[in-house]
Amino acid sequence: MIKKVELVPQDLQFSELVQGYWRLGDWGMSAQERLSFLKQHIELGITTVDHADIYGGYSCEQLFGEAIALEPSIRDQIEIVTKCDINLCTDSFPDRKINHYDTSKEHILGSVNNSLSRLNIENIDVLLIHRPDALMDADEVADAFAELKQQGKVNHFGVSNFSPAQFDLLQSRLDAPLVTNQVEINPLNFDVVHDGTLDHLQMKRTKPMAWSCLAGGDIFSGQSEQQIRVRDELELIRQEVGAASIDQVIYAWVKRLPSNPIPIVGSGKIERVQAAVESLNIKLTREQWFRVWAASKGHGVP
């Protein structure tokens, strides 16, 4: 079992790892198999799940909701995160000419209602604005959040892929704290370590959620010079710490950051989820962490 981490004192806790469902539509599972997988990772202590309205071309929330419908009481055992504001051009929306963002009050309210229906639940634990919107009116978003909170449809709010300034703009209009900023962190792309994003969250004592920790698989199969360097260094460290796979070293590398990121595990194979849980026992030294940094950058520290 893994421990819970506090996002909002006495109010909101996540599991130390989050199960991501953005590829649920690719897993080829029946509704019963989806429910069984959910139960398996709950047993491992991973009770927080990550969704977005657009995942699977607007299908993944529905697939998850079908599993919930088989055993509605399981809703009480999990924390559900979902996102809104990306409008995709899909068969479901034939009139759209281009992918774009929409943080209007009307869109946020409609998106939440759709997510609740697809997920087969009555309220969402955390709603995130998925991507920064150049046309975002912070007052309008705040109005939407207040209405959703008052209606009992959403308990907490956060953002995803926001810069510190974008985060602070929205926070300035809200009474309650934004509970997280979900950002990409992996050994191939960790710009947020240096651009002020994680410093900002550490200052606010706000834990980031880390997406794409395994870089979409590029660390394992990519053939660029950077990818090969990183893979080789991770393998050396794997041997040093006695890890079963370089996946575990990667999760330990992400967890070593002082902003205390909560990694999202994207695999639909329970064995790999179990391996991610076991990675929490691995503690990298500062030197090991910077060896991965140097392998990725292609040079040593300044």
Side-chain angles (χ1 to χ4, degrees):
M1 292 290 289
I2 64 178
K3 66 182 181 181
K4 292 278 194 176
V5 293
E6 196 171 71
L7 275 76
V8 178
Q10 287 83 52
D11 197 11
L12 176 65
Q13 291 185 328
F14 276 8
S15 49
E16 201 172 1
L17 296 172
V18 171
Q19 178 61 48
Y21 277 92
W22 77 285
R23 285 180 170 163
L24 178 57
D26 300 330
W27 295 350
M29 295 179 177
S30 67
Q32 185 59 57
E33 288 170 333
R34 285 171 240 147
L35 177 61
S36 296
F37 177 77
L38 172 58
K39 286 182 171 181
Q40 286 176 311
H41 71 68
I42 289 173
E43 289 175 2
L44 292 173
I46 301 179
T47 60
T48 308
V49 298
D50 181 69
H51 288 276
D53 57 346
I54 63 166
Y55 287 168
Y58 299 93
S59 70
C60 289
E61 288 181 325
Q62 182 75 38
L63 294 172
F64 190 84
E66 291 170 2
I68 292 285
L70 297 177
E71 194 171 320
S73 62
I74 205 165
R75 171 65 182 100
D76 297 331
Q77 302 177 45
I78 59 177
E79 304 83 39
I80 296 179
V81 180
T82 196
K83 313 177 196 71
C84 70
D85 98 317
I86 300 178
N87 280 342
L88 292 183
C89 297
T90 68
D91 292 339
S92 302
F93 299 97
D95 294 335
R96 287 180 183 165
K97 303 297 189 295
I98 191 172
N99 295 342
H100 61 282
Y101 306 137
D102 188 346
T103 51
S104 67
K105 180 177 180 179
E106 179 183 15
H107 178 77
I108 293 171
L109 297 180
S111 180
V112 166
N113 287 334
N114 289 334
S115 289
L116 290 171
S117 176
R118 288 190 291 254
L119 289 164
N120 197 40
I121 58 176
E122 294 183 355
N123 78 314
I124 293 163
D125 292 290
V126 180
L127 176 71
L128 308 182
I129 299 298
H130 202 158
R131 288 277 178 179
D133 173 15
L135 300 181
M136 183 183 79
D137 181 329
D139 291 309
E140 188 172 0
V141 176
D143 286 344
F145 285 3
E147 186 167 322
L148 291 167
K149 178 73 171 178
Q150 189 274 329
Q151 293 173 342
K153 293 180 178 180
V154 180
N155 298 336
H156 301 279
F157 301 90
V159 295
S160 182
N161 305 297
F162 270 45
S163 71
Q166 291 161 342
F167 186 104
D168 284 344
L169 168 60
L170 183 54
Q171 183 64 78
S172 73
R173 303 302 201 271
L174 303 173
D175 295 328
L178 293 166
V179 301
T180 192
N181 187 3
Q182 187 177 123
V183 294
E184 182 177 6
I185 310 175
N186 61 64
L188 299 181
N189 183 9
F190 48 94
D191 291 346
V192 291
V193 173
H194 299 298
D195 68 7
T197 300
L198 295 190
D199 299 321
H200 174 258
L201 294 172
Q202 186 180 173
M203 179 182 68
K204 290 184 171 293
R205 301 189 186 278
T206 301
K207 295 178 178 62
M209 296 173 70
W211 63 268
S212 196
C213 295
L214 305 183
D218 288 345
I219 291 177
F220 306 102
S221 58
Q223 293 303 308
S224 72
E225 291 184 5
Q226 181 201 31
Q227 291 160 347
I228 292 170
R229 287 195 311 265
V230 168
R231 185 162 58 244
D232 290 346
E233 195 62 51
L234 289 168
E235 173 58 25
L236 290 174
I237 296 172
R238 182 198 70 77
Q239 296 174 30
E240 293 168 9
V241 300
S245 64
I246 64 172
D247 307 40
Q248 294 181 326
V249 179
I250 294 168
Y251 288 122
W253 188 83
V254 171
K255 290 287 290 181
R256 187 68 174 78
L257 291 162
S259 53
N260 297 314
I262 303 171
I264 301 171
V265 181
S267 178
K269 296 180 179 178
I270 200 62
E271 297 81 11
R272 295 193 69 180
V273 178
Q274 173 72 57
V277 171
E278 293 170 356
S279 75
L280 298 176
N281 297 319
I282 299 171
K283 306 299 179 186
L284 300 186
T285 66
R286 285 175 173 265
E287 185 175 14
Q288 287 169 330
W289 192 92
F290 275 103
R291 282 164 54 189
V292 177
W293 185 99
S296 182
K297 297 288 188 180
H299 58 75
V301 298

